[in-house]
Amino acid sequence: MRNIYEIRQDFPMLQNKQMQGHDLIYFDNSATTLKPYSVLDAIAYYYTNITSNAHRSDYDLAFAVDQAYENARLKIAELIHANKNEIVFTSGASEGLNLIAYGYGLRYLKEDDVILVSEAEHASCVLPWMRVCEKTGARLKYIPLNEEGKLTIEAFRSIMDANVKVVALAQISNVLGYEVPMKEICEFAHAYGAIVVVDGAQSVPHLPIDVKDMDCDFLTFSAHKMCGPTGIGAIYGKYEWLENIDAWMLGGGSNARFDACGHILMKKPPAKFESGTQNIEGVLGFGAAVDYLQDLGMHQLHAYEQKLRHYIVSHMKRMENIRLYNEDAQSGIITFNVKDVFAQDAASYFNAHGIAVRSGQHCAKLLSEQLKTAATVRASLYFYNTRAEADEFLKVCANADMHTCLDIYF
Amino acid sequence: MDDMRNDPMMLRSIIMDHYEYPRNHALVNEEAYVQKHMASDSCIDDITVQAKIVQDRIEDIRFDGVACTISTASTSIMSELLKGKTKAQAKAIMDNYFAMIDGADYDANVLEEAIAFYTVGKQANRIKCATIGWNAMKELLETSEDDANEQG
Ligand SMILES: Cc1ncc(COP(=O)(O)O)c(C=O)c1O
């Protein structure tokens, strides 16, 4: 990977930004990531140079927008080793997961069919399926996690049966950051005739992904968690599935023909799912973000992140005042608590030292059994975080206790 | 009172004390109590405040829930401070407390231990923790005023 200090020059938010009188240390990358100038430039380029609507007109400007828009689709396809026509733009992972749940679920699921999720899913991966269950009579079942909060292939195998029609799982959980053995899950699920919907919100930004090798049926992700703008994301779907699920939104751009008798001829995917004027600036910014990541190299940035995480964790686990929940996770996510301090109090203490981390509450059923706590603090890394930031974070961790967490108010 | 504000150790120990040993920290199942559940999606706190208001007087205040140091301590202090007060007295104390939190003029003398939160705004995101129990109580009082007015 390029020199880290050179990389940091690419990010406006990393130029002398202060929080509470300290240099900003941004460790909340699972929530959203910082953006490089190239992404901002791509957005500005659209408005300064080629403003016009996509897929609509015969003049040169509009042609240039079409090309830029479709070129971004190609970049995103290449990132995950998909074909270009298997990428549908959405507003983000949440919309993608909803689109798949309704587009597939309402069309194919019926009473007593089972949708399998895990006890650690993000709301966006579970709630749409709950709605589908209400409407179809299908049932939601949860794969139990082991005592460390991991989803094992054994637990998955033992709950899988012929009633399961959909398996919907995050490839990397946003709570504990463990990676799920997705390739094995896809193989096993397919043997039972079930489809696999992968929530890639936390994996696509951090791992090299090959959807053909994984063999998932759908994968969703958000641009803003991978250096891109907010309000844009994508679905990968196997082309046969994109042809055979319903678009949940209709309008201009998605239909080829319609007449007054109500006959609609939909366009082919992906256009079928992209009704109305799209988030063009977002798509172009997303394309620039993917360029940026590809230039760094997904393998390299993943390795860098792992090394930094390992360094931090190896120190944190020796701290008496810290309780660590996911020592061996293969992601940038570090989930912990300061002993005897409520997670939110600890997060404010980090804030007082210029460090952005998140305190999070977990669905009671979900992790209270494994973690035995109502809330945790989550630090999440990305490739632009440095060893020096890690050292500062560790220093602040080492001093954290009930007293220092209150001193910040005085 | 003014000197207490210059004694951070003292203020910190007040908050610690109310967090570790919260007062009035158990709900009751009695008809005479009205209650308000407070949970916000931008914060973890999830607390319930109960009050027994008899005619013009707040006879009892109780609370419980999952909450951080700031919300537990501020609600505990509120429960002690407002218990036994008339509605008008309670309202005056509340107005002063909210004024303090908002950085407006206030009378420190009526706030007693609640003065410990005068700098909570240094952590902007925690203002809601310092006010969650107070807001619950405010709503309970307002509801009881409305009821009284309707009956009157
Ligand atoms: C695992 C997981 N799934 C889905 C989402 C939803 O992503 P978005 O809010 O960008 O739609 C998130 C975001 O936090 C996530 O972490």
Side-chain angles (χ1 to χ4, degrees):
Chain A
M1 209 169 75
R2 274 163 56 211
N3 176 287
I4 180 74
Y5 289 95
E6 211 182 285
I7 288 173
R8 287 171 70 87
Q9 295 297 318
D10 298 338
F11 289 80
M13 285 287 292
L14 295 175
Q15 308 313 311
N16 308 315
K17 194 104 204 147
Q18 299 251 310
M19 198 162 75
Q20 299 256 325
H22 297 266
D23 289 341
L24 169 69
I25 296 181
Y26 188 76
F27 276 8
D28 193 19
N29 292 289
S30 289
T32 199
T33 54
L34 308 181
K35 325 299 173 196
Y37 286 108
S38 62
V39 167
L40 310 185
D41 291 346
I43 295 168
Y45 182 81
Y46 168 61
Y47 291 116
T48 14
N49 293 299
I50 54 171
T51 301
S52 57
N53 212 327
H55 303 144
R56 293 282 157 91
S57 309
D58 298 313
Y59 50 89
D60 286 358
L61 264 186
F63 182 75
V65 170
D66 278 358
Q67 277 201 317
Y69 188 91
E70 291 304 321
N71 198 25
R73 197 193 303 279
L74 179 64
K75 289 171 187 176
I76 289 149
E78 284 171 355
L79 178 74
I80 58 169
H81 299 90
N83 299 326
K84 181 171 167 294
N85 61 4
E86 294 172 317
I87 301 296
V88 176
F89 287 116
T90 63
S91 64
S94 296
E95 190 195 330
L97 292 162
N98 276 271
L99 190 158
I100 297 162
Y102 303 131
Y104 175 89
L106 296 183
R107 178 146 175 190
Y108 293 106
L109 293 180
K110 47 187 196 330
E111 208 160 323
D112 295 331
D113 285 343
V114 169
I115 299 150
L116 267 191
V117 296
S118 88
E119 288 175 352
E121 273 345 288
H122 190 276
S124 297
C125 191
V126 177
L127 300 185
W129 293 109
M130 281 188 182
R131 177 67 63 79
V132 166
C133 288
E134 277 169 26
K135 293 199 188 277
T136 60
R139 286 177 301 136
L140 204 58
K141 266 169 84 171
Y142 293 86
I143 309 168
L145 303 173
N146 73 7
E147 66 285 354
E148 290 176 288
K150 281 185 192 159
L151 191 160
T152 63
I153 191 76
E154 293 74 28
F156 174 70
R157 281 171 182 259
S158 62
I159 201 170
M160 190 71 202
D161 64 31
N163 290 328
V164 176
K165 295 296 179 324
V166 176
V167 178
L169 293 173
Q171 187 174 9
I172 290 182
S173 133
N174 58 305
V175 182
L176 288 176
Y178 292 127
E179 189 181 347
V180 166
M182 206 49 94
K183 190 173 169 178
E184 287 97 315
I185 286 180
C186 288
E187 196 180 338
F188 204 69
H190 289 155
Y192 279 89
I195 64 159
V196 181
V197 180
V198 180
D199 173 357
Q202 299 295 349
S203 60
V204 176
H206 300 272
L207 296 177
I209 302 275
D210 183 334
V211 288
K212 299 293 169 190
D213 180 58
M214 193 195 315
D215 200 28
C216 58
D217 299 280
F218 294 100
L219 171 77
T220 61
F221 45 104
S222 293
H224 71 92
K225 294 187 200 281
M226 47 196 291
C227 294
T230 54
I232 189 74
I235 293 176
Y236 154 79
K238 283 182 178 164
Y239 199 72
E240 313 84 271
W241 279 125
L242 292 180
E243 282 185 301
N244 288 306
I245 69 172
D246 292 321
W248 69 330
M249 190 175 142
L250 301 179
S254 63
N255 64 87
R257 305 261 178 281
F258 75 101
D259 64 28
C261 310
H263 302 296
I264 308 175
L265 179 64
M266 295 297 286
K267 282 191 184 162
K268 297 203 120 345
K272 162 180 157 184
F273 298 98
E274 295 175 2
S275 280
T277 296
Q278 294 292 296
N279 179 0
I280 299 171
E281 60 163 279
V283 167
L284 303 197
F286 194 1
V290 169
D291 277 344
Y292 191 86
L293 298 182
Q294 292 275 48
D295 278 350
L296 292 176
M298 292 307 291
H299 283 282
Q300 286 83 344
L301 77 82
H302 180 58
Y304 176 86
E305 218 175 89
Q306 285 311 289
K307 212 166 122 195
L308 190 60
R309 181 186 198 279
H310 183 77
Y311 175 73
I312 294 175
V313 163
S314 67
H315 284 81
M316 280 178 91
K317 74 180 195 197
R318 290 204 297 267
M319 293 178 189
E320 288 287 322
N321 60 330
I322 299 290
R323 166 101 168 76
L324 195 59
Y325 296 100
N326 63 345
E327 188 184 329
D328 60 346
Q330 299 287 311
S331 66
I333 295 175
I334 302 167
T335 309
F336 66 100
N337 265 319
V338 178
K339 284 185 189 152
D340 303 322
V341 176
F342 198 70
Q344 205 177 2
D345 295 314
S348 285
Y349 164 77
F350 283 100
N351 174 55
H353 291 85
I355 303 173
V357 294
R358 166 157 303 214
S359 66
Q361 171 193 36
H362 312 302
C363 154
K365 169 180 158 59
L366 162 61
L367 291 174
S368 54
E369 283 162 31
Q370 278 82 14
L371 305 189
K372 310 206 173 6
T373 178
T376 55
V377 183
R378 179 186 71 183
S380 51
L381 310 173
Y382 212 14
F383 58 83
Y384 40 64
N385 292 127
T386 65
R387 183 69 84 98
E389 288 179 323
D391 284 332
E392 182 60 27
F393 170 75
L394 287 168
K395 202 172 86 194
V396 174
C397 275
N399 289 324
D401 62 25
M402 212 194 274
H403 299 273
T404 52
C405 287
L406 275 179
D407 283 341
I408 60 176
Y409 297 99
F410 303 112
Chain B
M1 266 299 156
D2 279 14
D3 14 331
M4 202 154 89
R5 275 177 287 181
N6 298 325
D7 187 352
M9 290 291 278
M10 175 70 155
L11 299 178
R12 191 180 80 181
S13 67
I14 291 172
I15 295 179
M16 289 276 282
D17 180 46
H18 279 270
Y19 178 61
E20 292 187 288
Y21 310 101
R23 322 294 198 268
N24 306 308
H25 194 236
L27 299 178
V28 291
N29 198 357
E30 278 178 39
E31 240 177 65
Y33 285 76
V34 285
Q35 86 176 37
K36 176 78 195 161
H37 174 230
M38 303 289 272
S40 91
D41 49 1
S42 56
C43 120
I44 301 171
D45 297 326
D46 182 315
I47 71 166
T48 300
V49 175
Q50 290 182 326
K52 184 177 175 185
I53 303 170
V54 178
Q55 290 174 342
D56 196 37
R57 193 169 296 278
I58 303 168
E59 293 207 336
D60 195 16
I61 301 176
R62 322 209 51 97
F63 80 104
D64 201 359
V66 176
C68 65
T69 316
I70 301 299
S71 52
T72 302
S74 63
T75 306
S76 172
I77 289 171
M78 178 278 290
S79 72
E80 273 199 330
L81 199 53
L82 301 188
K83 200 160 141 175
K85 299 284 192 297
T86 64
K87 287 182 188 176
Q89 287 167 331
K91 197 171 168 308
I93 294 171
M94 285 183 164
D95 288 346
N96 273 294
Y97 184 77
F98 287 113
M100 173 184 83
I101 299 286
D102 289 344
D105 290 340
Y106 64 98
D107 177 2
N109 292 309
V110 302
L111 291 179
E112 302 184 21
E113 288 187 324
I115 204 77
F117 298 99
Y118 88 103
T119 50
V120 76
K122 280 189 183 178
Q123 299 292 325
N125 198 42
R126 305 307 295 283
I127 288 173
K128 57 180 183 279
C129 306
T131 51
I132 188 169
W134 288 77
N135 275 319
M137 192 59 215
K138 188 163 171 239
E139 286 193 37
L140 290 175
L141 265 188
E142 280 164 2
T143 313
S144 103
E145 297 269 281
D146 292 348
D147 291 351
N149 289 341
E150 271 169 32
Q151 281 162 19

